[in-house]
Structure formats: C-alpha cells, structure tokens
Amino acid sequence: MSFYSLVSCQSVPMNFKAPESYALTETSDTYFGKFLAPSVHANPGKSGFYPLQAGTDAFVARLESVRRAEKSLDVQYYIWHDDLVGKMLFHEILAAADRHVRVRLLLDDLHIGQYQDLLLVLDSHPYIEVRMFNPFTNRSLRILEVFRFSQINRRMHNKVLIADNQTSIIGGRNIGNEYFTASRESNFGDFDVWCFGPVVGESSHAFDLYWNHRLSVPISVLNKREVGGGELSHLQSELRDLIKSPEAAMYTKEMFDSNLAKEMRLGKISSFWGKAKVFSDSPEKVAGESYKTTSMLNQVTALPIKADKEIFIVSPYFIPGKKGVDYFKRKHQEGVKVTVFTNSLASNDVPLVFAGYKKYRKGLLKAGVEIYEMRPKVTPKKKKVKASISAGARLGLHGKAYVFDRRVMFVGSMNLDPRSVELNSEMGVLFESPELAQKFVELTSLELPDIAYKVVVDEKGKMEWITHEGEKQVRVDSEPETSIWKSFEAGFLSLFVPESML
C-alpha cells in the first residue's frame, strides 16, 4: 500500500456506539434552582444576564457554577489549556464528579494534542464523560491529516458552561490563563455573560445537538490506552498540590477582590433581565453539509433588528469584505454611527487575519466608520499598577459583542470574518436589555482613548493613529508598536491564503 493510500483512507471512527444523553430537566430543587427562582418568577418570559468583562469575574463565575452544581455540568470549549486556570477548573470539575454530579465535557480536537492522557484519565471517573469533536484520526502525527484538510479545517468554536440546566456562561473566552488575566506573558480583553432563566434551556438544547452528533467521539475510542488503577487518584493529588502553589494563591487573592466575588459575599448579584434567544450553528456546518439557510449568522440577520442611530462592534478578527464595507457606508449615509473596536497589528495574535482586515480599513474609514485598534501595552490612567500575576503582560482583544442602538446586544464566539461565517461553528446569545447595552457601550467608549488607537484618514488619504499617554495625546503615522518584519509577514502570507480561510 502506498503512503498516500495509507493516510488518505483514514476517517473519523464510525464503528462505535456513543450513548445518547440529554440535559437534565428536573433541577428546580438544586441550589441554583432555588436561588434563582424568585428572580425568574419576577421576570416572566425574560432571562437574566451578568456581564463578565474582567477576567477574574469571569473565572469566579465559572468556579461558582461548578462548585454549586448538584446534578449536572455540560461544558463545551474550543480551547482548554493545560495551565494554571485549566487545571484549577479541572480540579473543581473532579470535585463535582466526586459529589456524583454528571459531567459531560465536549472539546474541539484541534488544540488538544499533548493533553490526551489527562483527558483520558478524567474520562475514567464514573461521573465524567469526555468527547472530542471532529477529531484527528492520527493521534500522534497530525501532519498526515493534510489529505483531510477540507474536513479538519472546520472547527467547533462554541464556548459554553452549563450548571444544572439553571445557569450558563456564553461568550468569547476559551479556558486558559490568557483569557482570565492570569498570564505573565500575554492576556486578552474578553467578554462573556452569565445567563439565568429560560435562555439556559436553549443553551442546553444547543449543547445536546453537538454532544449527540456523529462527530463527537469519546476520548476512549480515540485513545485506546488503558488507564491504570491509580492514575485518577494521582491526578487528583497533583491538582490539589497545584491549588496550594504560590501562583494559584496569588490568583485566588485577585479573584477574592473581584467585583463579582464581593457581590456574592453579600448574597446578591446585580443581573440585568430582558427577552433573549440563544443562536448556534448546526454541527452539520463542521461536517461540511449544507448549512447556509440555517447558519447562525443568517438566523440572526433574518430577525427584525433595526439600528436607526448606532452600531457598536467589538470583534478581534474583523474582515468585513466588500459587501460589509458597502453596508456600513449605507448605514453611515442613513445617519447611523458605526464604531468598530478590533485588534491592531501589534496586539493581534494572528497577523495573517490582520492582513485580511487591512485591505478594507481605509475603505471603512472613508465610508464614515470610526475604527479603534487595541494597544498591546496600556498604562493605567491616574492610578498605580497593582502587583498582579498579569502586571506587564502583553494585551490583545478577544471578546466579541455587537450592540444595536444601545438596546439589543449579541454576545458569543463569532468574529466578523469569513472563518466564523463559512467554516467554524459558532454560538451566541441575543438579548434586549437597554440598561446593559447602554452600560457596555458607555464603559467601553470611556476606555477606548486609553486602551486603543483611533485610526483616522485625512483628505489626502494618509492614515494616523491617535491615543493617550496619561493626559497627553499621541499621534503616529505608521502601524504603531510593531516591527517591519511583522508587517511584512502578514502581508506576504496573505498573498497565498484565500480570504475565505481567514
């Protein structure tokens, strides 16, 4: 048999029977069911939201969800790093399983590589089941999957954590230090919402569709290694030791000082309530089947959402295409203010995607769009930098949020780029809450002059970047805080990679 035949005939394992399972519905007697009941009853037909902008707030919400769970945890992520944050959350999940909480952990297989053994050990717990979505068939030499590129290029980008079918956390964050301001090297500005009420059931329905899909393969089917009798207890011991480490203690102190932790100690969190709906791509999108009529983006754009005054966009990877530029130009001509907050070349962790955005930047500016680009380093204004695990780390933007007339807001995993639209599966929640939408736009707009460059173009077509250093305004006339090589690299690679893959 030839080498080509050897690698090209491989496919996702199909000769297995993964039992179907679904979200538990009888959970009103759980801690969250009882705690949330008064608010749910006081807001019939509405769902509640707690905005998670600070990294420490976002991790506190996840820890609280896992620690308070009594019957079930459904967890779905694109990336889960084997680092401090990842292991801290695994420690709590194992503790929940020890309390006989049913845990279903669904991860995209792209980034999992060297963590397979850890997941296999987790899966050996009688109350934890781990499945990998759209898995690589070759578990050690993934480069051989090049002959399945059209399949493995499609990934499950959804991100959700559901506790007892009573609360869900939806947004842009993966699980890893940099998404929760716990990294010493680089951190992302990100955004999630902690959801309560009817919208949680919709989150669970979306999770079940993926969990029971043919591309969700048990880790035990992919990795045939037999787990030894003492491996699970050894992992639990290692995780307990990690929790006692100086690094974990420092981050735990930061969480203790977070706004959400303070509110929880008072026994009440300041949530916002409004009508809402969860949207999710069908898993068939990743399978490569026809999806355009049912894609999440088409579902959302088909709704009667009007923006008569303002569109406020936060998207770290932003490639609008010619149609997008024309759309924003029309909205500007109709008197609608359009603001875009995205990454600069210096803050972008995927320079190739920046090259795709750069082609449309000047056209957007000429169309009347206000553009702000994230700075890789920020000097806090009028206050000293706190001693922190993340002090001095490089910054990047990763949150995805879209606000219409400061009334309707969409938060989820979807960037405004071709990859999110055409290739990856995405998930998000659309909700109507003028109070939360207004607060989000106001606070973000207030920070923009200090954390971002405002990009402008003069009558001659020359671009400038404007920001603040303390009380001083700073203007530069070339891509700020980046090297010539990085700029060349992004432009050069864009010559060979189709825009549809960015």
Side-chain angles (χ1 to χ4, degrees), residues 152-216:
I152 64 172
N153 188 40
R154 297 174 176 273
R155 306 313 314 175
M156 182 193 76
H157 200 234
N158 309 35
K159 302 157 175 84
V160 65
L161 188 154
I162 308 165
D164 285 337
N165 203 13
Q166 293 287 334
T167 78
S168 63
I169 299 174
I170 300 174
R173 285 182 173 90
N174 296 296
I175 304 300
N177 289 349
E178 62 268 39
Y179 302 99
F180 299 92
T181 57
S183 171
R184 298 183 188 278
E185 289 78 35
S186 62
N187 287 300
F188 287 120
D190 221 319
F191 192 69
D192 312 291
V193 284
W194 197 4
C195 310
F196 323 109
V199 79
V200 178
E202 297 177 10
S203 307
S204 293
H205 175 70
F207 178 91
D208 285 345
L209 288 177
Y210 281 81
W211 181 258
N212 294 309
H213 192 268
R214 66 185 183 279
L215 288 183
S216 292

Side-chain angles (χ1 to χ4, degrees), residues 427-499:
M427 180 181 185
V429 58
L430 182 77
F431 53 90
E432 185 174 10
S433 174
E435 188 179 1
L436 177 52
Q438 174 78 15
K439 181 178 180 180
F440 176 82
V441 175
E442 283 184 352
L443 292 179
T444 306
S445 299
L446 188 65
E447 291 182 333
L448 284 176
D450 298 302
I451 67 172
Y453 288 96
K454 182 176 184 180
V455 190
V456 297
V457 62
D458 62 23
E459 295 177 354
K460 297 180 180 180
K462 184 179 180 181
M463 289 195 298
E464 285 190 316
W465 287 258
I466 305 170
T467 189
H468 288 84
E469 291 284 359
E471 301 297 330
K472 182 182 177 182
Q473 187 183 82
V474 177
R475 303 175 77 101
V476 294
D477 58 5
S478 61
E479 299 285 357
E481 300 186 73
T482 193
S483 66
I484 295 176
W485 168 251
K486 190 171 184 179
S487 182
F488 169 78
E489 177 189 23
F492 181 73
L493 289 174
S494 69
L495 298 174
F496 303 97
V497 181
E499 188 173 294

Side-chain angles (χ1 to χ4, degrees), residues 106-140:
L106 178 60
L107 301 175
D108 185 86
D109 195 52
L110 178 63
H111 297 279
I112 219 64
Q114 65 269 37
Y115 314 136
Q116 290 185 77
D117 277 355
L118 184 150
L119 294 174
L120 194 64
V121 174
L122 284 173
D123 183 74
S124 71
H125 194 291
Y127 282 86
I128 299 178
E129 185 176 358
V130 179
R131 295 184 183 180
M132 312 308 297
F133 197 83
N134 193 19
F136 285 68
T137 56
N138 195 306
R139 306 309 291 170
S140 55

